[in-house]
Amino acid sequence: MTVLAAVIALVGSLFFALGAALQQFEAAGTAKPGLLALLRRPRWLLGGVSILTGGGLHIVALGLGPLTIVQPMGVASLLFALPLAAAMHGRKPSRRELAAAAVVAMGLIGLVLLVPESEGPTHLAPDGVFTLLGVAGVAAVLLWAGSKAASPAGRAALLATSSGVLYGATATLMRVLVDGDWNWWYLLALPIPALLALMMLQRAYAVGHFGVSFASLQIADPLTAVAFGALLLGEPLPTGILPIGAALLTAVGTVALARTSPIEAH
């Protein structure tokens, strides 16, 4: 079952990477990458279906195998996404891009495996939900504002990080809904950060630096969820020197990706 879980997770990563590459291709070709404009593009919608399929396969894999096997396979989407996106834009990914992506992937795998598993059901009071959405919203706005004065690569990274923060808040709230004690209006709050995250991500994709955008998203999303889990849900944090080393790897790889050639709008 463990081998099957790994294979399913790997296939799920391929679907997720394909969906991200399709959506970036369409967002980069839109003057104003708003959701309404992108929703009229069949290829962008196909990318969304592919991402949902990848997410579904990842959930199936988690039901069949241990987290320590399944989660690293999910990180492989970064290594799949770069060649797919480059091929859509009619070029080959450089060795430098792939090497930087591999460094990011190794750092992310380390961070994922070092986070201790939480025990028991989760609970988040209504004031905690407001804190969650408020902190994530302020952080996302600050990152968006900072992106306006940044270089193209920095802009892509900041916008994608803003998206990752909002997705991390969404994941935290989803965890409460699935595993904890909650009020019905939590369901109404859930789409707010998710939709804002999707909008920010399309703006990041439109800049053209797909590698740094996708890497920044994959870093910010789980780290934000872990931080909110610790602050609001009382979940444990990793300790020691190893998490610091893993975080440094992801940072170094992301900076290296930011210095590679951007994927231009088609």
Side-chain angles (χ1 to χ4, degrees):
M1 293 293 280
T2 299
V3 174
L4 179 61
V7 171
I8 291 175
L10 198 61
V11 174
S13 294
L14 181 57
F15 272 101
F16 191 83
L18 176 61
L22 284 168
Q23 290 197 336
Q24 191 276 336
F25 184 82
E26 292 300 320
T30 305
K32 294 184 178 181
L35 286 182
L36 291 179
L38 292 170
L39 284 169
R40 293 193 290 268
R41 294 186 169 224
R43 194 155 31 190
W44 188 87
L45 292 173
L46 181 61
V49 172
S50 185
I51 289 172
L52 290 175
T53 302
L57 288 172
H58 190 75
I59 292 172
V60 171
L62 285 172
L64 295 174
L67 188 71
T68 53
I69 297 296
V70 174
Q71 289 294 74
M73 296 298 173
V75 176
S77 59
L78 176 61
L79 301 177
F80 291 146
L82 281 179
L84 286 169
M88 289 180 187
H89 288 269
R91 71 174 184 88
K92 293 182 179 180
S94 67
R95 291 182 180 179
R96 186 179 174 186
E97 281 180 288
L98 294 177
V103 170
V104 175
M106 286 188 292
L108 279 173
I109 289 172
L111 288 172
V112 165
L113 296 182
L114 290 169
V115 175
E117 288 191 52
S118 61
E119 297 180 357
T122 57
H123 172 73
L124 187 62
D127 59 344
V129 175
F130 288 117
T131 300
L132 171 71
L133 298 178
V135 171
V138 169
V141 169
L142 290 175
L143 289 163
W144 168 76
S147 72
K148 291 185 173 295
S151 65
R155 177 173 170 77
L158 289 172
L159 287 171
T161 301
S162 175
S163 175
V165 168
L166 292 166
Y167 274 132
T170 304
T172 304
L173 188 53
M174 179 65 77
R175 176 170 172 76
V176 173
L177 292 173
V178 171
D179 190 43
D181 181 20
W182 50 277
N183 295 319
W184 66 269
W185 63 267
Y186 288 19
L187 288 172
L188 299 179
L190 185 65
I192 297 173
L195 287 174
L196 290 174
L198 185 59
M199 292 170 60
M200 287 290 186
L201 186 58
Q202 303 315 307
R203 292 182 179 276
Y205 285 164
V207 176
H209 285 264
F210 178 63
V212 71
S213 296
F214 199 60
S216 298
L217 172 69
Q218 287 206 314
I219 294 168
D221 183 349
L223 289 185
T224 301
V226 168
F228 278 135
L231 294 173
L232 299 177
L233 304 179
E235 296 180 344
L237 284 173
T239 57
I241 192 68
L242 290 179
I244 297 175
L248 286 174
L249 272 181
T250 60
V252 168
T254 304
V255 170
L257 275 175
R259 293 178 176 177
T260 59
S261 300
I263 294 177
E264 302 293 345
H266 56 277

